[in-house]
C-alpha cells in the first residue's frame, strides 16, 4: 500500500536565519558595536565632594543640607546569628531639602573611614535606622547609622554622606571623643 503525503497547509521548517528571536528581544533593531574590542565603562563617574567638619552643616550644590546631629560610641551585643559583638560608632544625621523639588534619599550611602585607613563596617545591629523615602521641598529627615570600629575613642574619622545615587557627597572630618 502506498502512502500519500499531504502537504496542504504545512510549511517548511525555518532555516537558522529565520529562527524567531527569543521573547523580549529584537533582531531588527540591534546593530553590533563598531569596535568589538571596546570595553564598557570600568568605573562610575566622579561625584562632586563638599568637605566640612563634624560640627558644621554642609550645603551641597543641589541645595540639600547635610548635618551630623550626633556621634556616639556603643558596644554592640549580638542578638541574632551572624551578628558581631564589639565597639561601634553611632552616627545620627539629618538631610534638609532646601531645593525647589522633591529629593529621594532611598539610595543614601553613608560610610566611615579613619585617617589611618580602618573602615567602619556598617551593621544593622543597634539603633540603625537609615534615611528613606522622598523628601519634599523644604522638608527634613533624620537617619541613624552604626559602624563597627575598634577602638573608637580619640580616632580621626571621615564620614561621607551621599544622599542619592549620582548626587554630590558631603564629607565630614573630625575626631571622635
Amino acid at each position: 500500500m502506498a502512502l500519500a503525503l499531504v502537504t496542504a497547509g504545512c510549511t517548511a521548517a525555518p532555516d537558522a536565519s529565520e529562527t524567531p528571536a527569543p521573547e523580549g528581544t529584537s533582531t531588527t533593531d540591534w546593530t553590533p558595536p563598531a569596535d568589538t574590542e571596546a570595553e564598557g565603562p570600568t568605573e562610575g563617574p566622579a561625584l562632586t565632594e563638599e568637605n566640612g567638619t563634624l560640627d558644621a552643616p554642609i550645603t551641597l550644590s543641589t541645595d540639600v543640607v547635610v548635618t551630623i546631629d550626633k556621634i556616639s560610641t556603643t558596644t554592640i551585643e549580638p542578638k541574632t546569628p551572624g551578628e558581631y559583638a564589639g565597639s561601634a560608632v553611632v552616627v545620627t544625621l539629618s538631610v534638609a531639602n532646601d531645593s525647589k523639588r522633591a529629593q529621594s534619599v532611598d539610595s543614601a550611602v553613608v560610610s566611615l573611614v579613619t585617617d589611618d585607613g580602618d573602615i567602619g563596617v556598617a551593621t544593622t545591629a543597634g539603633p540603625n535606622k537609615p534615611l528613606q523615602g522622598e523628601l519634599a521641598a523644604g522638608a527634613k529627615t533624620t537617619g541613624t547609622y552604626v559602624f563597627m570600629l575598634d577602638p573608637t575613642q580619640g580616632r580621626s574619622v571621615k564620614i561621607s554622606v551621599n544622599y542619592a545615587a549620582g548626587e554630590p557627597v558631603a564629607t565630614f572630618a573630625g575626631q571622635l571623643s
Side-chain angles (χ1 to χ4, degrees):
M1 176 188 303
L3 294 174
L5 194 49
V6 178
T7 59
C10 293
T11 58
D15 66 22
S17 66
E18 296 175 4
T19 303
E23 187 174 321
T25 63
S26 170
T27 58
T28 58
D29 295 338
W30 184 78
T31 304
D35 181 0
T36 58
E37 300 297 316
E39 294 182 19
T42 57
E43 61 184 50
L47 299 176
T48 304
E49 185 175 355
E50 298 290 334
N51 298 297
T53 61
L54 293 175
D55 60 354
I58 294 176
T59 301
L60 300 170
S61 60
T62 55
D63 291 328
V64 169
V65 181
V66 182
T67 306
I68 302 289
D69 296 323
K70 181 180 178 187
I71 298 177
S72 61
T73 59
T74 190
T75 300
I76 298 296
E77 299 294 332
K79 296 197 181 348
T80 62
E83 288 183 349
Y84 291 95
S87 298
V89 178
V90 180
V91 178
T92 301
L93 59 93
S94 59
V95 176
N97 183 4
D98 289 349
S99 75
K100 304 243 185 272
R101 64 179 182 90
Q103 302 280 350
S104 174
V105 294
D106 281 332
S107 64
V109 175
V110 179
S111 62
L112 182 146
V113 64
T114 67
D115 282 354
D116 56 357
D118 288 344
I119 297 172
V121 178
T123 181
T124 57
N128 187 63
K129 187 177 184 280
L131 296 168
Q132 61 183 0
E134 185 166 285
L135 194 56
K140 182 178 177 179
T141 190
T142 301
T144 300
Y145 295 82
V146 181
F147 301 95
M148 302 297 293
L149 184 67
D150 190 24
T152 58
Q153 299 297 319
R155 301 210 47 198
S156 292
V157 297
K158 286 186 180 176
I159 299 170
S160 295
V161 180
N162 182 219
Y163 73 90
E167 298 297 344
V169 177
T171 300
F172 300 87
Q175 190 164 344
L176 299 175
S177 52

